[in-house]
Amino acid sequence: MAEILVLVDHANGEVKKVTFELLTLARSLGEASAVWIGPGYEAAADKIAEYGPAKVYVAADAELNDYVAAPKVEVLQQLAAGAGAILVPATAEGKEIAGRLAVRLDSGVLTDVVGVTGDLVAEHSIFGGGVIAHAKVTKGTPIIAVRPNAIALAAQAGSPAVEQVSVALSDAAKAAKITDRVVQEKGERPDLTEASIVVSGGRGVGGAENFKIIEGLADSLGAAVGASRAATDAGWYPHQFQVGQTGKTVSPQLYIAAGISGAIQHRAGMQTSKTIIAINKDPEAPIFELVDYGVVGDLFQVVPQLTEEIGKR
Ligand code: FAD
């Protein structure tokens, strides 16, 4: 069975859920091997073992975390010989790693993948999510960047072999040094890209203070809050929560859009959500073309009623 390498996505001691999704996928494609880069593996070992990798490569040198993306590329490059495929998360960093690695390995890369079959045919979302394409890398080791939340999690407890890896970083890998890290306050809500439910507000919300209505619904569902660009550009909600082509890509089980028209650039970031609900007072709003359930109504009435009903359960 071919070895399928999975880059572990971790930060501040926490392993991101997408890692477990990638391990689940890797097991269906071959023999899964996790690749941990940086210090701190020991604290995460048990959690990683729950998702059944046969092996974990650990490159523990703290210096690997000091530079932007390139050290991870060098570790993966070193491990790539003989691998059947390399899976990385389709996050900003993951996609950068995927591209750089493909150049190093002279192989092909597929990004924004939402599924992969046993013969390594990837289903991926292209042209801002407007088209789903099936594609296969035909040269070298396939490098596949998979969207968070695209793969259904399946645990499979195991006790992986651990192999320490050391890498002598090239000068090129040290070209961009990280000089400072701002750790964002981790709020009560789940990460936007990892959440299984996202409630987003748009221009229809009408102002920063009204976003508490959106937050109220999100909190009643244990959801993350998102926003359209109209809302973030207006300063009503921070840019880090923008969903869309120039914001975050989300693919939750449930996406609720309130006061969002459904412009193509917004859809690009949310249309692979499993179930989509829109609340909009305009029955002609384009968002209704892609929803599973649509509520034509004033969000200032509908959202609080919904929050109240959910609170009763
Ligand atoms: P609008 O289009 O103004 O829609 C507001 C909606 O709210 C309307 O449908 C209206 O009927 C409804 N409404 C108003 N009041 C109420 C009420 N009381 N109750 C219920 N409904 C109500 N946009 C993104 O979102 N993400 C991106 O990443 C992004 N990237 C872009 C990149 C580029 C290069 C460009 C050119 C644009 C990008 N945009 C992006 C902007 C995008 O084109 C739209 O302008 C934006 O998505 C519109 O946001 P909206 O739906 O909130 O606002």
Side-chain angles (χ1 to χ4, degrees), residues 200-203 211 226-233 241-243 259-260 266:
S200 287
R203 201 193 309 270
F211 254 86
S228 73
R229 181 159 158 183
T232 57
D233 278 357
F241 298 102
Q242 182 185 313
V243 172
I260 292 177
H266 187 79

Side-chain angles (χ1 to χ4, degrees), residues 203 228-229 242-246 259 261 265-266 280 298-299:
R203 201 193 309 270
S228 73
R229 181 159 158 183
Q242 182 185 313
V243 172
Q245 187 182 317
T246 43
S261 62
Q265 296 89 354
H266 187 79
N280 196 305
D298 186 338
L299 71 90

Side-chain angles (χ1 to χ4, degrees), residues 162-240:
V162 176
E163 186 176 320
Q164 300 293 331
V165 179
S166 65
V167 180
L169 289 184
S170 67
D171 288 345
K174 296 180 181 177
K177 188 169 171 58
I178 297 169
T179 55
D180 193 15
R181 283 177 211 270
V182 179
V183 179
Q184 286 186 334
E185 285 282 304
K186 193 167 164 48
E188 298 294 302
R189 301 190 185 100
D191 260 13
L192 180 55
T193 51
E194 301 238 307
S196 49
I197 306 177
V198 173
V199 182
S200 287
R203 201 193 309 270
V205 173
E209 64 290 354
N210 297 339
F211 254 86
K212 61 180 181 303
I213 300 174
I214 303 298
E215 291 180 333
L217 177 57
D219 291 342
S220 73
L221 292 164
V225 174
S228 73
R229 181 159 158 183
T232 57
D233 278 357
W236 300 346
Y237 219 66
H239 277 284
Q240 76 209 60

Side-chain angles (χ1 to χ4, degrees), residues 89-144:
T91 55
E93 188 193 37
K95 287 195 252 188
E96 181 169 350
I97 291 169
R100 288 176 183 229
L101 188 60
V103 173
R104 292 286 187 93
L105 298 176
D106 194 20
S107 64
V109 60
L110 297 170
T111 60
D112 289 319
V113 167
V114 291
V116 185
T117 56
D119 50 358
L120 295 177
V121 173
E123 187 181 325
H124 69 147
S125 177
I126 58 172
F127 298 132
V131 175
I132 295 288
H134 291 92
K136 184 169 178 159
V137 170
T138 55
K139 186 183 178 196
T141 309
I143 299 159
I144 303 177

